[in-house]
Amino acid sequence: MNQEDWPTKDYQTALSYIADHEDEAASNIILPVDKGVTAVLGLPLYGAGFYGIFMLSPIILFMLVTSYFMLVILTADSMEMQTQILFSGGCFFLLWALGKALQLLIATRELFPRKYFTTLSADGISSNYSKLHLPFHSKVTLAWNDVEAARLYQSLFPAGLFAGFLKADIVEITSKSGDFLKIPFHVPSGQATSAADTILGLIHQKIK
């Protein structure tokens, strides 16, 4: 693998380490891995293969059908109020149970592996997220000698809706040519400053 392939090498190194140390990855958003690579596991967003999607489909379908019937029941004029409350309560309980089943299934790393994260190494930063996650992500890889500045801000993160949040903290790194690389992360509000300081500290160590 030549020198220009360092983002792929860093990603594969981190991916292999995370797969073998899931407990450690689950409890740390900043994870030092092998060969001088650090992974920033900022968001609980997972990949899904064919089997994962196949197993998710019936649960999502049942949730949609249950939601539809609950809406029909609540808007039906011909039903008594007590009957509406009884049936809608049953639908709500079913939705809750299906939601729990969905969470348990998604927690299976063999079906839904961690694949979206940022790596920092001796060569630079590589942010491995989909364009659907960060639509205005103008740069996904930056060598350290291209970094101009870094800042922290908070922004809406629509993709986070599937993981139960709508806002994410973002460390935005500006290149000397004006491109941006974004490192999103989501932690409890009381831990955001500490996590951001750690990420910015790792960056500033490299660009001094």
Side-chain angles (χ1 to χ4, degrees):
M1 189 174 290
N2 61 46
Q3 186 63 26
E4 295 300 318
D5 288 332
W6 63 264
T8 301
K9 180 179 66 175
D10 292 348
Y11 179 74
Q12 292 299 331
T13 298
L15 197 64
S16 298
Y17 186 91
I18 291 166
D20 294 335
H21 301 80
E22 175 54 34
D23 290 341
E24 192 178 353
S27 59
N28 297 280
I29 72 160
I30 301 170
L31 186 66
V33 300
D34 297 335
K35 301 177 183 178
V37 178
T38 298
V40 180
L41 307 170
L43 300 173
L45 300 174
Y46 310 106
F50 171 78
Y51 291 108
I53 294 172
F54 181 79
M55 294 181 72
L56 272 185
S57 299
I59 297 178
I60 294 174
L61 178 61
F62 282 134
M63 291 180 78
L64 290 173
V65 170
T66 302
S67 298
Y68 171 75
F69 277 114
M70 186 165 65
L71 183 63
V72 170
I73 290 168
L74 289 173
T75 56
D77 295 331
S78 59
M79 297 181 68
E80 295 182 357
M81 179 65 71
Q82 290 181 337
T83 305
Q84 285 181 319
I85 293 173
L86 179 64
F87 278 103
S88 60
C91 289
F92 183 80
F93 176 79
L94 183 57
L95 280 174
W96 175 83
L98 288 169
K100 287 295 183 181
L102 191 66
Q103 288 179 340
L104 290 173
L105 184 59
I106 292 175
T108 306
R109 294 285 78 83
E110 290 80 8
L111 295 174
F112 301 93
R114 296 179 188 272
K115 61 179 291 188
Y116 301 111
F117 51 85
T118 303
T119 59
L120 296 88
S121 70
D123 295 295
I125 313 169
S126 182
S127 190
N128 302 283
Y129 286 94
S130 165
K131 289 290 185 182
L132 295 176
H133 296 151
L134 299 167
F136 305 107
H137 199 48
S138 62
K139 195 79 171 178
V140 295
T141 298
L142 277 178
W144 292 120
N145 57 8
D146 290 331
V147 174
E148 178 69 25
R151 70 183 182 103
L152 171 70
Y153 68 96
Q154 193 175 70
S155 176
L156 287 174
F157 190 76
L161 180 63
F162 297 100
F165 62 91
L166 276 175
K167 283 187 176 182
D169 293 285
I170 295 177
V171 173
E172 182 182 80
I173 302 161
T174 307
S175 74
K176 293 177 181 177
S177 60
D179 290 324
F180 300 102
L181 184 148
K182 299 179 182 180
I183 304 176
F185 65 95
H186 176 73
V187 293
S189 57
Q191 302 174 23
T193 300
S194 175
D197 287 344
T198 302
I199 296 170
L200 290 170
L202 290 170
I203 295 169
H204 290 147
Q205 285 177 10
K206 299 293 186 180
I207 62 176
K208 282 182 177 179

